[in-house]
Amino acid sequence: MEAIYWVLTWACHRRCPHCYDDRFRPYVRDELKRVVGEGRSAYRKIVANLPDEMSFADASGAKKRTLLVMAGGELLIDGVREELFYPVLEEIRARWGDRGPHISIQTTGDILTPEHVEGMLSRGVRTIAIASIDDFHVGLEGDKKFALMDKVRAMMAPFGATEIGLGGARDPRLKAPTPRPADDDHGPFFLFFGAQPDLWIGELWPRGRAWSNGLSEATYETNFCARWSGGKNFLNYGQAGSEVAIEPDGSVYPCCLKTKAPLGNVSEERLVDILDSLKGHPAFEAINAGDPEAMGLGMGWSRERYRAASATVDPKGRQFANVCIGCDAFFAARLGDDLAAIRAKRLARLPVSL
């Protein structure tokens, strides 16, 4: 895969209004232990079932390291960092050693300390991404976000970290787009991004609290499926553009937005087996092509029917239409039974444990 986006836990110290999943929120005491325990019980099996070679071929055919993005929630809060996050990093090193992926972690940055930076870098993290450069994170509105950036830059300097740019931003206080670091450049690196119109996702996904708070400004022409972290090319593992998303329990999705149901669970079977089993299926090939409107062609859904299913009324009472809404409707109407049957066939081929 070119990239794998792995959410290790739902635990977070924030409850941002624009978050794409309601499960990202504060948990305390036994509830925190329970939600962190979900990731703890699955991570070894997930690591074991990821590809043996964490690499892909770029457009020139050259082999590059997989980008493994690890996120929460917030991985650096007490109860998550030592109990789950650091053990996962150590498990990755134990499996792949020097052949491992390029590990990038996402954090809000507001609780980042030099001790955290040292703990991550010493365990193989190469890129630290500060994901709160927007006006949705309380306390970081307006120029406050830029004060955080200055604080992080000063913190990174003693580690010799290089700032890179995610791309798209026009604000002069943000670094211009930077090419992906070379595999032999071990960094470390850091970058900033957030939900700004020209920095990441301006329209906001029609998901989670962003949806329930009526914050998504996407239109039907906003095709998240064909964008970064969308479903396009998810089946083409080993090639540029391929990416999947994994939840704490191992559930796998073709995009970070998440389809109505998971494709399978990588804590119980290999990722490549799950993806191979979906190749040739018209709906998943349509997602793979970045053309979700074509999901139902050959299965009784015309493009016109898909468009109709993509229209709804949002929580603010506005007329709303987006391809993600149509994808949800098609999954609910047609793909549940297909996914269950395909999964049953895969599991039937697994060796019986003694």
Side-chain angles (χ1 to χ4, degrees):
M1 306 295 295
E2 177 172 357
I4 296 173
Y5 187 86
W6 183 4
V7 169
L8 296 183
T9 182
W10 306 115
C12 191
H13 61 308
R14 290 176 172 271
R15 195 191 298 262
C16 296
H18 73 307
C19 191
Y20 71 96
D21 198 304
D22 298 318
R23 291 171 290 181
F24 291 123
R25 60 178 178 82
Y27 297 83
V28 297
R29 294 182 287 277
D30 289 345
E31 195 177 30
L32 177 61
K33 292 180 180 178
R34 176 190 61 77
V35 76
V36 173
E38 180 182 28
R40 282 176 56 84
S41 66
Y43 78 84
R44 288 188 178 89
K45 294 177 182 177
I46 292 173
V47 170
N49 283 324
L50 293 179
D52 293 334
E53 284 197 32
M54 294 291 271
S55 63
F56 70 100
D58 68 10
S60 70
K63 185 176 288 189
K64 303 288 186 180
R65 290 180 190 264
T66 294
L67 174 65
L68 178 58
V69 180
M70 306 178 76
E74 176 55 69
L75 300 177
L76 297 178
I77 58 175
D78 292 343
V80 172
R81 184 182 62 256
E82 303 284 349
E83 291 79 359
L84 175 61
F85 179 37
Y86 288 173
V88 172
L89 293 176
E90 290 159 4
E91 187 77 8
I92 290 170
R93 174 172 285 176
R95 176 164 185 206
W96 289 288
D98 293 338
R99 300 180 298 104
H102 179 130
I103 300 175
S104 174
I105 74 100
Q106 293 183 357
T107 174
T108 56
D110 57 341
I111 64 170
L112 186 67
T113 68
E115 291 75 23
H116 296 153
V117 176
E118 171 63 31
M120 290 187 283
L121 298 184
S122 66
R123 292 172 172 85
V125 171
R126 289 178 64 190
T127 299
I128 298 173
I130 310 301
S132 58
I133 309 306
D134 54 52
D135 292 326
F136 294 105
H137 288 79
V138 175
L140 297 176
E141 307 92 336
D143 287 342
K144 295 176 184 177
K145 68 176 76 67
F146 299 112
L148 173 65
M149 292 170 64
D150 290 339
K151 178 182 176 181
V152 170
R153 284 170 174 144
M155 191 184 307
M156 293 295 181
F159 296 96
T162 300
E163 183 177 350
I164 58 178
L166 182 65
R170 293 188 294 269
D171 194 300
R173 288 166 290 190
L174 292 162
K175 191 169 180 64
T178 306
R180 174 186 171 127
D183 281 353
D184 59 358
D185 187 347
H186 293 284
F189 309 97
F190 68 101
L191 62 89
F192 300 98
F193 75 99
Q196 293 188 36
D198 60 347
L199 184 58
W200 184 37
I201 295 178
E203 306 95 331
L204 293 180
W205 295 334
R207 289 287 187 267
R209 286 193 293 274
W211 175 252
S212 60
N213 290 327
L215 296 177
S216 178
E217 296 294 336
T219 66
Y220 189 77
E221 288 67 37
T222 306
N223 184 1
F224 293 117
C225 193
R227 291 188 180 186
W228 174 52
S229 292
K232 187 174 182 179
N233 294 319
F234 84 99
L235 290 176
N236 303 337
Y237 63 84
Q239 300 178 33
S242 54
E243 181 177 2
V244 294
I246 301 175
E247 288 192 343
D249 70 346
S251 295
V252 181
Y253 296 84
C255 57
C256 290
L257 289 75
K258 301 173 188 174
T259 47
K260 194 71 172 178
L263 308 177
N265 191 299
V266 78
S267 74
E268 60 186 19
E269 51 184 327
R270 298 193 313 158
L271 175 60
V272 295
D273 291 340
I274 294 172
L275 298 177
D276 282 342
S277 72
L278 302 176
K279 291 179 178 179
H281 190 289
F284 299 112
E285 291 290 353
I287 295 174
N288 193 59
D291 183 14
E293 194 178 83
M295 288 173 67
L297 299 181
M299 298 180 67
W301 275 46
S302 64
R303 290 184 180 270
E304 290 73 20
R305 184 173 178 182
Y306 188 97
R307 292 190 196 107
S310 299
T312 187
V313 176
D314 81 352
K316 282 188 174 179
R318 302 176 301 175
Q319 295 296 318
F320 186 93
N322 183 258
V323 292
C324 293
I325 303 297
C327 178
D328 290 345
F330 187 74
F331 260 75
R334 296 301 306 269
L335 288 183
D337 289 344
D338 279 18
L339 277 171
I342 294 169
R343 176 178 177 273
K345 289 181 180 178
R346 290 196 310 266
L347 295 181
R349 293 195 293 267
L350 292 177
V352 177
S353 299
L354 297 177

